[in-house]
Amino acid sequence: RSKILSLQLIQHILDHSGQTFRNGELFISAIKKYLTSSLCVNATFKDSQIFSVVSNIFMFVLTVFPAHIKVLF
């Protein structure tokens, strides 16, 4: 339950973040260093609710930050 709650909290923060927050170097750095690797690990869980939230977050990151994560993949 705590994993789902944590992922939902991350999704909520991302969904409600403004342009200033999204363009901040610290925020972009955190996405590159921590969020993308965490999403990859959590995507392997068999729980459909976890996978759903991880997929939504990943699609958000791909949509909003494509230039910043392009180097990672």
Short mmCIF file of all heavy atoms in Angstrom, two decimals:
data_model
loop_
_atom_site.label_atom_id
_atom_site.label_comp_id
_atom_site.label_asym_id
_atom_site.label_seq_id
_atom_site.Cartn_x
_atom_site.Cartn_y
_atom_site.Cartn_z
N ARG A 1 0.81 -1.20 0.00
CA ARG A 1 0.00 0.00 0.00
C ARG A 1 0.85 1.26 0.00
O ARG A 1 0.49 2.24 -0.62
CB ARG A 1 -0.92 0.00 1.22
CG ARG A 1 -2.06 -0.99 1.12
CD ARG A 1 -3.04 -0.82 2.26
NE ARG A 1 -3.62 0.47 2.32
CZ ARG A 1 -4.79 0.81 1.79
NH1 ARG A 1 -5.48 -0.08 1.16
NH2 ARG A 1 -5.25 2.02 1.92
N SER A 2 1.95 1.25 0.72
CA SER A 2 2.78 2.45 0.80
C SER A 2 3.43 2.76 -0.54
O SER A 2 3.62 3.93 -0.89
CB SER A 2 3.82 2.33 1.90
OG SER A 2 4.75 1.31 1.59
N LYS A 3 3.77 1.73 -1.32
CA LYS A 3 4.35 1.94 -2.64
C LYS A 3 3.35 2.63 -3.56
O LYS A 3 3.67 3.58 -4.26
CB LYS A 3 4.80 0.62 -3.25
CG LYS A 3 5.49 0.79 -4.59
CD LYS A 3 6.02 -0.51 -5.10
CE LYS A 3 7.17 -1.03 -4.31
NZ LYS A 3 8.39 -0.25 -4.31
N ILE A 4 2.11 2.17 -3.53
CA ILE A 4 1.06 2.78 -4.36
C ILE A 4 0.83 4.22 -3.93
O ILE A 4 0.73 5.12 -4.77
CB ILE A 4 -0.24 1.96 -4.29
CG1 ILE A 4 -0.04 0.61 -4.96
CG2 ILE A 4 -1.39 2.71 -4.95
CD1 ILE A 4 -1.17 -0.36 -4.76
N LEU A 5 0.76 4.45 -2.63
CA LEU A 5 0.55 5.80 -2.12
C LEU A 5 1.70 6.72 -2.52
O LEU A 5 1.48 7.86 -2.95
CB LEU A 5 0.41 5.77 -0.59
CG LEU A 5 0.16 7.12 0.07
CD1 LEU A 5 -1.15 7.73 -0.44
CD2 LEU A 5 0.12 6.96 1.58
N SER A 6 2.93 6.23 -2.43
CA SER A 6 4.10 7.03 -2.81
C SER A 6 4.06 7.38 -4.31
O SER A 6 4.32 8.52 -4.70
CB SER A 6 5.38 6.28 -2.51
OG SER A 6 5.49 6.01 -1.15
N LEU A 7 3.73 6.40 -5.12
CA LEU A 7 3.65 6.64 -6.57
C LEU A 7 2.52 7.61 -6.91
O LEU A 7 2.67 8.47 -7.78
CB LEU A 7 3.48 5.32 -7.31
CG LEU A 7 4.71 4.41 -7.33
CD1 LEU A 7 4.33 3.02 -7.81
CD2 LEU A 7 5.80 5.01 -8.20
N GLN A 8 1.39 7.47 -6.24
CA GLN A 8 0.28 8.40 -6.47
C GLN A 8 0.64 9.82 -6.05
O GLN A 8 0.24 10.78 -6.69
CB GLN A 8 -0.97 7.92 -5.74
CG GLN A 8 -1.60 6.71 -6.37
CD GLN A 8 -2.74 6.14 -5.55
OE1 GLN A 8 -2.81 6.31 -4.33
NE2 GLN A 8 -3.64 5.43 -6.21
N LEU A 9 1.41 9.94 -4.99
CA LEU A 9 1.87 11.26 -4.54
C LEU A 9 2.79 11.88 -5.58
O LEU A 9 2.66 13.06 -5.92
CB LEU A 9 2.58 11.15 -3.19
CG LEU A 9 3.13 12.43 -2.60
CD1 LEU A 9 2.02 13.44 -2.37
CD2 LEU A 9 3.86 12.15 -1.30
N ILE A 10 3.71 11.10 -6.12
CA ILE A 10 4.60 11.59 -7.18
C ILE A 10 3.79 12.01 -8.40
O ILE A 10 4.03 13.07 -8.99
CB ILE A 10 5.64 10.52 -7.56
CG1 ILE A 10 6.63 10.33 -6.41
CG2 ILE A 10 6.37 10.89 -8.85
CD1 ILE A 10 7.53 9.13 -6.57
N GLN A 11 2.81 11.19 -8.76
CA GLN A 11 1.97 11.52 -9.91
C GLN A 11 1.21 12.83 -9.67
O GLN A 11 1.12 13.68 -10.56
CB GLN A 11 0.99 10.40 -10.19
CG GLN A 11 0.10 10.66 -11.40
CD GLN A 11 -0.85 9.52 -11.68
OE1 GLN A 11 -0.98 8.58 -10.91
NE2 GLN A 11 -1.53 9.61 -12.80
N HIS A 12 0.69 13.00 -8.48
CA HIS A 12 -0.05 14.23 -8.16
C HIS A 12 0.86 15.46 -8.23
O HIS A 12 0.47 16.50 -8.77
CB HIS A 12 -0.67 14.10 -6.77
CG HIS A 12 -1.50 15.27 -6.37
ND1 HIS A 12 -2.78 15.45 -6.82
CD2 HIS A 12 -1.22 16.34 -5.59
CE1 HIS A 12 -3.25 16.59 -6.33
NE2 HIS A 12 -2.32 17.14 -5.56
N ILE A 13 2.06 15.33 -7.69
CA ILE A 13 3.01 16.45 -7.72
C ILE A 13 3.35 16.82 -9.16
O ILE A 13 3.36 17.99 -9.54
CB ILE A 13 4.28 16.11 -6.92
CG1 ILE A 13 3.97 16.06 -5.43
CG2 ILE A 13 5.40 17.11 -7.21
CD1 ILE A 13 5.08 15.47 -4.58
N LEU A 14 3.61 15.81 -9.98
CA LEU A 14 3.93 16.07 -11.38
C LEU A 14 2.75 16.70 -12.12
O LEU A 14 2.92 17.64 -12.90
CB LEU A 14 4.37 14.78 -12.08
CG LEU A 14 5.72 14.23 -11.67
CD1 LEU A 14 5.93 12.85 -12.29
CD2 LEU A 14 6.84 15.17 -12.08
N ASP A 15 1.56 16.16 -11.91
CA ASP A 15 0.37 16.66 -12.60
C ASP A 15 0.05 18.10 -12.25
O ASP A 15 -0.48 18.84 -13.07
CB ASP A 15 -0.85 15.79 -12.28
CG ASP A 15 -0.80 14.44 -12.96
OD1 ASP A 15 -0.03 14.28 -13.93
OD2 ASP A 15 -1.53 13.53 -12.51
N HIS A 16 0.38 18.51 -11.03
CA HIS A 16 0.02 19.85 -10.58
C HIS A 16 1.21 20.81 -10.50
O HIS A 16 1.10 21.90 -9.94
CB HIS A 16 -0.68 19.76 -9.23
CG HIS A 16 -2.01 19.09 -9.34
ND1 HIS A 16 -2.16 17.72 -9.23
CD2 HIS A 16 -3.24 19.57 -9.59
CE1 HIS A 16 -3.42 17.41 -9.39
NE2 HIS A 16 -4.11 18.51 -9.62
N SER A 17 2.32 20.40 -11.07
CA SER A 17 3.49 21.29 -11.06
C SER A 17 3.36 22.34 -12.15
O SER A 17 2.83 22.08 -13.22
CB SER A 17 4.77 20.48 -11.26
OG SER A 17 4.77 19.84 -12.51
N GLY A 18 3.87 23.52 -11.87
CA GLY A 18 3.82 24.62 -12.83
C GLY A 18 5.06 24.66 -13.70
O GLY A 18 6.01 23.90 -13.51
N GLN A 19 5.07 25.56 -14.66
CA GLN A 19 6.19 25.68 -15.60
C GLN A 19 7.49 26.05 -14.90
O GLN A 19 8.55 25.55 -15.26
CB GLN A 19 5.86 26.71 -16.68
CG GLN A 19 4.85 26.23 -17.69
CD GLN A 19 5.35 25.00 -18.43
OE1 GLN A 19 6.52 24.88 -18.76
NE2 GLN A 19 4.45 24.07 -18.67
N THR A 20 7.42 26.90 -13.91
CA THR A 20 8.62 27.30 -13.19
C THR A 20 9.24 26.10 -12.50
O THR A 20 10.45 25.89 -12.54
CB THR A 20 8.30 28.39 -12.15
OG1 THR A 20 7.67 29.48 -12.81
CG2 THR A 20 9.54 28.88 -11.45
N PHE A 21 8.41 25.30 -11.88
CA PHE A 21 8.88 24.10 -11.20
C PHE A 21 9.45 23.09 -12.20
O PHE A 21 10.51 22.52 -11.99
CB PHE A 21 7.71 23.48 -10.44
CG PHE A 21 8.09 22.38 -9.50
CD1 PHE A 21 8.87 22.63 -8.39
CD2 PHE A 21 7.64 21.09 -9.72
CE1 PHE A 21 9.20 21.62 -7.52
CE2 PHE A 21 7.97 20.07 -8.85
CZ PHE A 21 8.75 20.33 -7.74
N ARG A 22 8.77 22.90 -13.32
CA ARG A 22 9.19 21.95 -14.34
C ARG A 22 10.48 22.36 -15.04
O ARG A 22 11.20 21.51 -15.55
CB ARG A 22 8.10 21.78 -15.39
CG ARG A 22 6.87 21.10 -14.88
CD ARG A 22 5.84 20.98 -15.96
NE ARG A 22 4.59 20.51 -15.43
CZ ARG A 22 3.47 20.44 -16.11
NH1 ARG A 22 3.46 20.83 -17.37
NH2 ARG A 22 2.38 19.99 -15.55
N ASN A 23 10.76 23.63 -15.10
CA ASN A 23 11.96 24.11 -15.78
C ASN A 23 13.16 24.25 -14.86
O ASN A 23 14.25 24.57 -15.31
CB ASN A 23 11.68 25.46 -16.46
CG ASN A 23 10.70 25.31 -17.61
OD1 ASN A 23 10.65 24.28 -18.26
ND2 ASN A 23 9.93 26.34 -17.85
N GLY A 24 12.98 23.99 -13.58
CA GLY A 24 14.07 24.11 -12.62
C GLY A 24 15.11 23.01 -12.81
O GLY A 24 14.78 21.84 -12.99
N GLU A 25 16.37 23.39 -12.76
CA GLU A 25 17.45 22.43 -12.97
C GLU A 25 17.47 21.34 -11.90
O GLU A 25 17.77 20.19 -12.19
CB GLU A 25 18.79 23.16 -13.01
CG GLU A 25 19.03 23.91 -14.30
CD GLU A 25 19.03 22.98 -15.52
OE1 GLU A 25 19.64 21.89 -15.45
OE2 GLU A 25 18.40 23.34 -16.52
N LEU A 26 17.15 21.71 -10.66
CA LEU A 26 17.14 20.73 -9.58
C LEU A 26 16.06 19.67 -9.82
O LEU A 26 16.28 18.47 -9.64
CB LEU A 26 16.90 21.44 -8.24
CG LEU A 26 16.98 20.58 -6.99
CD1 LEU A 26 18.36 19.94 -6.85
CD2 LEU A 26 16.68 21.42 -5.77
N PHE A 27 14.89 20.11 -10.27
CA PHE A 27 13.78 19.21 -10.57
C PHE A 27 14.13 18.28 -11.72
O PHE A 27 13.93 17.07 -11.66
CB PHE A 27 12.53 20.03 -10.88
CG PHE A 27 11.30 19.20 -11.09
CD1 PHE A 27 10.74 18.49 -10.05
CD2 PHE A 27 10.69 19.15 -12.33
CE1 PHE A 27 9.60 17.72 -10.25
CE2 PHE A 27 9.55 18.39 -12.54
CZ PHE A 27 9.00 17.69 -11.48
N ILE A 28 14.70 18.83 -12.78
CA ILE A 28 15.08 18.04 -13.95
C ILE A 28 16.18 17.04 -13.58
O ILE A 28 16.15 15.88 -14.00
CB ILE A 28 15.51 18.95 -15.11
CG1 ILE A 28 14.29 19.74 -15.60
CG2 ILE A 28 16.14 18.17 -16.24
CD1 ILE A 28 14.62 20.86 -16.56
N SER A 29 17.11 17.47 -12.77
CA SER A 29 18.18 16.59 -12.31
C SER A 29 17.62 15.43 -11.48
O SER A 29 18.06 14.28 -11.64
CB SER A 29 19.20 17.38 -11.49
OG SER A 29 20.18 16.55 -10.97
N ALA A 30 16.67 15.70 -10.63
CA ALA A 30 16.05 14.66 -9.81
C ALA A 30 15.30 13.65 -10.68
O ALA A 30 15.33 12.44 -10.42
CB ALA A 30 15.10 15.27 -8.79
N ILE A 31 14.66 14.12 -11.72
CA ILE A 31 13.96 13.22 -12.63
C ILE A 31 14.96 12.31 -13.34
O ILE A 31 14.76 11.10 -13.45
CB ILE A 31 13.12 14.02 -13.64
CG1 ILE A 31 11.89 14.57 -12.94
CG2 ILE A 31 12.71 13.15 -14.83
CD1 ILE A 31 11.03 15.46 -13.78
N LYS A 32 16.05 12.89 -13.79
CA LYS A 32 17.07 12.10 -14.48
C LYS A 32 17.72 11.07 -13.55
O LYS A 32 17.91 9.92 -13.93
CB LYS A 32 18.17 13.01 -15.03
CG LYS A 32 17.77 13.81 -16.23
CD LYS A 32 18.95 14.65 -16.68
CE LYS A 32 18.62 15.54 -17.83
NZ LYS A 32 19.78 16.36 -18.23
N LYS A 33 18.08 11.50 -12.35
CA LYS A 33 18.83 10.63 -11.45
C LYS A 33 17.97 9.59 -10.73
O LYS A 33 18.37 8.44 -10.57
CB LYS A 33 19.55 11.45 -10.38
CG LYS A 33 20.73 12.20 -10.87
CD LYS A 33 21.39 12.92 -9.72
CE LYS A 33 22.59 13.71 -10.18
NZ LYS A 33 23.21 14.45 -9.09
N TYR A 34 16.80 10.01 -10.26
CA TYR A 34 16.04 9.16 -9.36
C TYR A 34 14.73 8.63 -9.94
O TYR A 34 14.44 7.45 -9.80
CB TYR A 34 15.76 9.90 -8.06
CG TYR A 34 16.99 10.45 -7.41
CD1 TYR A 34 17.23 11.82 -7.37
CD2 TYR A 34 17.94 9.60 -6.86
CE1 TYR A 34 18.37 12.32 -6.78
CE2 TYR A 34 19.10 10.10 -6.27
CZ TYR A 34 19.30 11.47 -6.24
OH TYR A 34 20.44 11.96 -5.67
N LEU A 35 13.97 9.49 -10.56
CA LEU A 35 12.62 9.10 -10.97
C LEU A 35 12.63 8.05 -12.07
O LEU A 35 11.92 7.06 -11.99
CB LEU A 35 11.79 10.31 -11.39
CG LEU A 35 10.33 10.02 -11.72
CD1 LEU A 35 9.61 9.45 -10.50
CD2 LEU A 35 9.63 11.26 -12.20
N THR A 36 13.43 8.25 -13.10
CA THR A 36 13.41 7.30 -14.22
C THR A 36 13.86 5.91 -13.79
O THR A 36 13.24 4.92 -14.17
CB THR A 36 14.28 7.81 -15.39
OG1 THR A 36 15.57 8.16 -14.91
CG2 THR A 36 13.65 9.00 -16.05
N SER A 37 14.91 5.80 -12.98
CA SER A 37 15.35 4.48 -12.52
C SER A 37 14.32 3.85 -11.59
O SER A 37 14.06 2.65 -11.66
CB SER A 37 16.71 4.57 -11.85
OG SER A 37 16.65 5.39 -10.72
N SER A 38 13.70 4.65 -10.75
CA SER A 38 12.66 4.14 -9.86
C SER A 38 11.46 3.64 -10.65
O SER A 38 10.87 2.60 -10.31
CB SER A 38 12.23 5.24 -8.89
OG SER A 38 11.16 4.79 -8.10
N LEU A 39 11.09 4.35 -11.69
CA LEU A 39 9.97 3.90 -12.51
C LEU A 39 10.27 2.58 -13.19
O LEU A 39 9.41 1.70 -13.28
CB LEU A 39 9.62 4.96 -13.57
CG LEU A 39 9.02 6.26 -13.05
CD1 LEU A 39 8.81 7.24 -14.20
CD2 LEU A 39 7.72 6.01 -12.31
N CYS A 40 11.49 2.41 -13.66
CA CYS A 40 11.87 1.15 -14.30
C CYS A 40 11.79 -0.02 -13.32
O CYS A 40 11.33 -1.10 -13.67
CB CYS A 40 13.27 1.27 -14.89
SG CYS A 40 13.36 2.36 -16.30
N VAL A 41 12.24 0.19 -12.11
CA VAL A 41 12.17 -0.86 -11.09
C VAL A 41 10.73 -1.18 -10.75
O VAL A 41 10.33 -2.36 -10.68
CB VAL A 41 12.95 -0.44 -9.82
CG1 VAL A 41 12.67 -1.40 -8.67
CG2 VAL A 41 14.43 -0.37 -10.12
N ASN A 42 9.91 -0.16 -10.55
CA ASN A 42 8.52 -0.37 -10.14
C ASN A 42 7.64 -0.90 -11.27
O ASN A 42 6.59 -1.48 -11.01
CB ASN A 42 7.93 0.91 -9.57
CG ASN A 42 8.46 1.20 -8.19
OD1 ASN A 42 8.33 0.38 -7.30
ND2 ASN A 42 9.08 2.35 -8.02
N ALA A 43 8.05 -0.72 -12.49
CA ALA A 43 7.26 -1.23 -13.63
C ALA A 43 7.27 -2.74 -13.69
O ALA A 43 6.42 -3.34 -14.35
CB ALA A 43 7.79 -0.64 -14.93
N THR A 44 8.20 -3.37 -13.00
CA THR A 44 8.29 -4.83 -13.04
C THR A 44 7.38 -5.52 -12.02
O THR A 44 7.25 -6.74 -12.04
CB THR A 44 9.74 -5.29 -12.80
OG1 THR A 44 10.16 -4.86 -11.51
CG2 THR A 44 10.66 -4.72 -13.86
N PHE A 45 6.73 -4.76 -11.15
CA PHE A 45 5.82 -5.35 -10.17
C PHE A 45 4.58 -5.90 -10.88
O PHE A 45 4.10 -5.33 -11.86
CB PHE A 45 5.39 -4.31 -9.13
CG PHE A 45 6.42 -4.11 -8.05
CD1 PHE A 45 7.48 -3.23 -8.25
CD2 PHE A 45 6.34 -4.80 -6.87
CE1 PHE A 45 8.43 -3.04 -7.28
CE2 PHE A 45 7.29 -4.61 -5.88
CZ PHE A 45 8.34 -3.73 -6.08
N LYS A 46 4.06 -6.99 -10.37
CA LYS A 46 2.91 -7.64 -11.00
C LYS A 46 1.58 -7.00 -10.62
O LYS A 46 0.56 -7.31 -11.21
CB LYS A 46 2.91 -9.12 -10.66
CG LYS A 46 4.10 -9.81 -11.27
CD LYS A 46 4.08 -11.27 -10.98
CE LYS A 46 5.42 -11.79 -11.41
NZ LYS A 46 5.60 -12.90 -12.08
N ASP A 47 1.60 -6.13 -9.66
CA ASP A 47 0.38 -5.45 -9.22
C ASP A 47 -0.08 -4.49 -10.31
O ASP A 47 0.66 -3.60 -10.73
CB ASP A 47 0.66 -4.69 -7.92
CG ASP A 47 -0.59 -4.09 -7.29
OD1 ASP A 47 -1.42 -3.54 -8.04
OD2 ASP A 47 -0.72 -4.18 -6.07
N SER A 48 -1.30 -4.67 -10.77
CA SER A 48 -1.81 -3.84 -11.88
C SER A 48 -1.98 -2.38 -11.50
O SER A 48 -1.80 -1.49 -12.34
CB SER A 48 -3.14 -4.40 -12.40
OG SER A 48 -4.11 -4.38 -11.39
N GLN A 49 -2.28 -2.10 -10.24
CA GLN A 49 -2.44 -0.72 -9.80
C GLN A 49 -1.09 0.00 -9.80
O GLN A 49 -0.99 1.15 -10.24
CB GLN A 49 -3.08 -0.65 -8.42
CG GLN A 49 -3.50 0.74 -8.03
CD GLN A 49 -4.27 0.76 -6.72
OE1 GLN A 49 -4.34 -0.23 -6.01
NE2 GLN A 49 -4.83 1.91 -6.40
N ILE A 50 -0.04 -0.68 -9.37
CA ILE A 50 1.30 -0.09 -9.39
C ILE A 50 1.71 0.16 -10.83
O ILE A 50 2.21 1.23 -11.17
CB ILE A 50 2.32 -1.00 -8.67
CG1 ILE A 50 2.06 -1.01 -7.17
CG2 ILE A 50 3.75 -0.53 -8.95
CD1 ILE A 50 2.92 -1.98 -6.39
N PHE A 51 1.51 -0.83 -11.68
CA PHE A 51 1.88 -0.67 -13.08
C PHE A 51 1.13 0.48 -13.74
O PHE A 51 1.69 1.23 -14.52
CB PHE A 51 1.64 -1.98 -13.85
CG PHE A 51 2.10 -1.91 -15.26
CD1 PHE A 51 3.46 -2.00 -15.56
CD2 PHE A 51 1.20 -1.73 -16.29
CE1 PHE A 51 3.90 -1.92 -16.86
CE2 PHE A 51 1.63 -1.65 -17.60
CZ PHE A 51 2.98 -1.75 -17.89
N SER A 52 -0.13 0.63 -13.41
CA SER A 52 -0.94 1.72 -13.98
C SER A 52 -0.40 3.09 -13.59
O SER A 52 -0.26 3.98 -14.44
CB SER A 52 -2.39 1.57 -13.51
OG SER A 52 -3.17 2.64 -13.95
N VAL A 53 -0.09 3.27 -12.31
CA VAL A 53 0.43 4.57 -11.85
C VAL A 53 1.80 4.83 -12.45
O VAL A 53 2.09 5.94 -12.91
CB VAL A 53 0.47 4.63 -10.30
CG1 VAL A 53 1.09 5.93 -9.83
CG2 VAL A 53 -0.93 4.48 -9.72
N VAL A 54 2.66 3.80 -12.48
CA VAL A 54 3.99 3.95 -13.08
C VAL A 54 3.87 4.32 -14.55
O VAL A 54 4.59 5.20 -15.04
CB VAL A 54 4.82 2.66 -12.90
CG1 VAL A 54 6.06 2.67 -13.76
CG2 VAL A 54 5.20 2.47 -11.45
N SER A 55 2.95 3.69 -15.26
CA SER A 55 2.75 4.01 -16.68
C SER A 55 2.30 5.45 -16.88
O SER A 55 2.78 6.13 -17.79
CB SER A 55 1.71 3.06 -17.29
OG SER A 55 2.16 1.75 -17.24
N ASN A 56 1.40 5.91 -16.03
CA ASN A 56 0.93 7.29 -16.13
C ASN A 56 2.07 8.28 -15.86
O ASN A 56 2.21 9.28 -16.57
CB ASN A 56 -0.20 7.55 -15.14
CG ASN A 56 -1.48 6.85 -15.53
OD1 ASN A 56 -1.69 6.53 -16.70
ND2 ASN A 56 -2.34 6.60 -14.57
N ILE A 57 2.88 8.01 -14.86
CA ILE A 57 4.01 8.89 -14.56
C ILE A 57 5.01 8.88 -15.71
O ILE A 57 5.50 9.92 -16.13
CB ILE A 57 4.70 8.47 -13.24
CG1 ILE A 57 3.76 8.68 -12.06
CG2 ILE A 57 5.99 9.26 -13.03
CD1 ILE A 57 4.27 8.08 -10.75
N PHE A 58 5.29 7.69 -16.23
CA PHE A 58 6.26 7.57 -17.32
C PHE A 58 5.78 8.32 -18.56
O PHE A 58 6.56 9.02 -19.22
CB PHE A 58 6.50 6.09 -17.64
CG PHE A 58 7.68 5.88 -18.53
CD1 PHE A 58 8.96 6.12 -18.08
CD2 PHE A 58 7.50 5.42 -19.83
CE1 PHE A 58 10.06 5.93 -18.90
CE2 PHE A 58 8.59 5.22 -20.65
CZ PHE A 58 9.87 5.48 -20.19
N MET A 59 4.50 8.22 -18.88
CA MET A 59 3.96 8.95 -20.03
C MET A 59 4.03 10.46 -19.81
O MET A 59 4.32 11.22 -20.73
CB MET A 59 2.51 8.53 -20.32
CG MET A 59 2.41 7.13 -20.89
SD MET A 59 3.41 6.89 -22.38
CE MET A 59 2.69 8.05 -23.49
N PHE A 60 3.80 10.90 -18.59
CA PHE A 60 3.92 12.31 -18.28
C PHE A 60 5.36 12.79 -18.51
O PHE A 60 5.59 13.81 -19.13
CB PHE A 60 3.51 12.57 -16.82
CG PHE A 60 3.65 14.00 -16.41
CD1 PHE A 60 2.63 14.91 -16.63
CD2 PHE A 60 4.82 14.46 -15.82
CE1 PHE A 60 2.77 16.24 -16.26
CE2 PHE A 60 4.97 15.78 -15.45
CZ PHE A 60 3.94 16.68 -15.67
N VAL A 61 6.31 12.01 -18.00
CA VAL A 61 7.72 12.38 -18.14
C VAL A 61 8.11 12.40 -19.62
O VAL A 61 8.81 13.31 -20.08
CB VAL A 61 8.63 11.42 -17.33
CG1 VAL A 61 10.09 11.64 -17.65
CG2 VAL A 61 8.38 11.60 -15.84
N LEU A 62 7.67 11.41 -20.38
CA LEU A 62 7.96 11.39 -21.81
C LEU A 62 7.35 12.57 -22.55
O LEU A 62 7.94 13.10 -23.49
CB LEU A 62 7.46 10.09 -22.44
CG LEU A 62 8.27 8.85 -22.16
CD1 LEU A 62 7.58 7.63 -22.77
CD2 LEU A 62 9.67 8.98 -22.69
N THR A 63 6.20 12.99 -22.12
CA THR A 63 5.50 14.10 -22.78
C THR A 63 6.09 15.45 -22.41
O THR A 63 6.28 16.31 -23.27
CB THR A 63 4.01 14.08 -22.39
OG1 THR A 63 3.47 12.80 -22.73
CG2 THR A 63 3.23 15.15 -23.12
N VAL A 64 6.38 15.66 -21.15
CA VAL A 64 6.80 16.97 -20.65
C VAL A 64 8.32 17.18 -20.74
O VAL A 64 8.77 18.29 -20.97
CB VAL A 64 6.30 17.18 -19.20
CG1 VAL A 64 6.80 18.49 -18.63
CG2 VAL A 64 4.78 17.14 -19.16
N PHE A 65 9.08 16.12 -20.58
CA PHE A 65 10.54 16.24 -20.54
C PHE A 65 11.25 15.41 -21.60
O PHE A 65 12.28 14.79 -21.32
CB PHE A 65 11.07 15.81 -19.16
CG PHE A 65 10.49 16.56 -18.02
CD1 PHE A 65 9.50 16.00 -17.22
CD2 PHE A 65 10.93 17.84 -17.72
CE1 PHE A 65 8.96 16.69 -16.16
CE2 PHE A 65 10.40 18.55 -16.65
CZ PHE A 65 9.42 17.98 -15.87
N PRO A 66 10.79 15.38 -22.83
CA PRO A 66 11.42 14.49 -23.81
C PRO A 66 12.88 14.83 -24.10
O PRO A 66 13.71 13.93 -24.24
CB PRO A 66 10.56 14.66 -25.06
CG PRO A 66 9.92 15.98 -24.91
CD PRO A 66 9.73 16.18 -23.43
N ALA A 67 13.21 16.09 -24.16
CA ALA A 67 14.60 16.48 -24.48
C ALA A 67 15.55 16.12 -23.33
O ALA A 67 16.71 15.80 -23.56
CB ALA A 67 14.67 17.97 -24.77
N HIS A 68 15.06 16.19 -22.11
CA HIS A 68 15.92 15.95 -20.95
C HIS A 68 16.19 14.47 -20.71
O HIS A 68 17.23 14.11 -20.20
CB HIS A 68 15.32 16.58 -19.69
CG HIS A 68 15.18 18.07 -19.80
ND1 HIS A 68 16.27 18.90 -19.84
CD2 HIS A 68 14.09 18.85 -19.89
CE1 HIS A 68 15.85 20.16 -19.95
NE2 HIS A 68 14.52 20.15 -19.97
N ILE A 69 15.22 13.61 -21.06
CA ILE A 69 15.44 12.19 -20.81
C ILE A 69 15.89 11.44 -22.06
O ILE A 69 16.22 10.27 -21.99
CB ILE A 69 14.19 11.53 -20.22
CG1 ILE A 69 13.03 11.59 -21.19
CG2 ILE A 69 13.84 12.10 -18.89
CD1 ILE A 69 11.90 10.68 -20.79
N LYS A 70 15.93 12.12 -23.17
CA LYS A 70 16.36 11.50 -24.41
C LYS A 70 17.75 10.89 -24.27
O LYS A 70 18.01 9.80 -24.77
CB LYS A 70 16.33 12.54 -25.53
CG LYS A 70 16.74 12.03 -26.87
CD LYS A 70 16.63 13.17 -27.86
CE LYS A 70 17.25 12.82 -29.18
NZ LYS A 70 17.18 13.93 -30.11
N VAL A 71 18.62 11.53 -23.56
CA VAL A 71 20.00 11.09 -23.37
C VAL A 71 20.04 9.81 -22.53
O VAL A 71 20.92 8.98 -22.69
CB VAL A 71 20.83 12.19 -22.70
CG1 VAL A 71 22.26 11.80 -22.53
CG2 VAL A 71 20.70 13.49 -23.47
N LEU A 72 19.07 9.63 -21.64
CA LEU A 72 19.07 8.49 -20.74
C LEU A 72 18.80 7.18 -21.46
O LEU A 72 19.26 6.13 -21.04
CB LEU A 72 18.03 8.68 -19.64
CG LEU A 72 18.25 9.87 -18.71
CD1 LEU A 72 17.09 10.02 -17.77
CD2 LEU A 72 19.55 9.68 -17.95
N PHE A 73 18.02 7.23 -22.52
CA PHE A 73 17.65 6.01 -23.20
C PHE A 73 18.38 5.96 -24.51
O PHE A 73 18.52 5.20 -25.26
CB PHE A 73 16.14 5.92 -23.41
CG PHE A 73 15.39 5.90 -22.11
CD1 PHE A 73 14.74 7.03 -21.66
CD2 PHE A 73 15.36 4.77 -21.34
CE1 PHE A 73 14.04 7.00 -20.46
CE2 PHE A 73 14.67 4.73 -20.15
CZ PHE A 73 14.01 5.85 -19.71
#
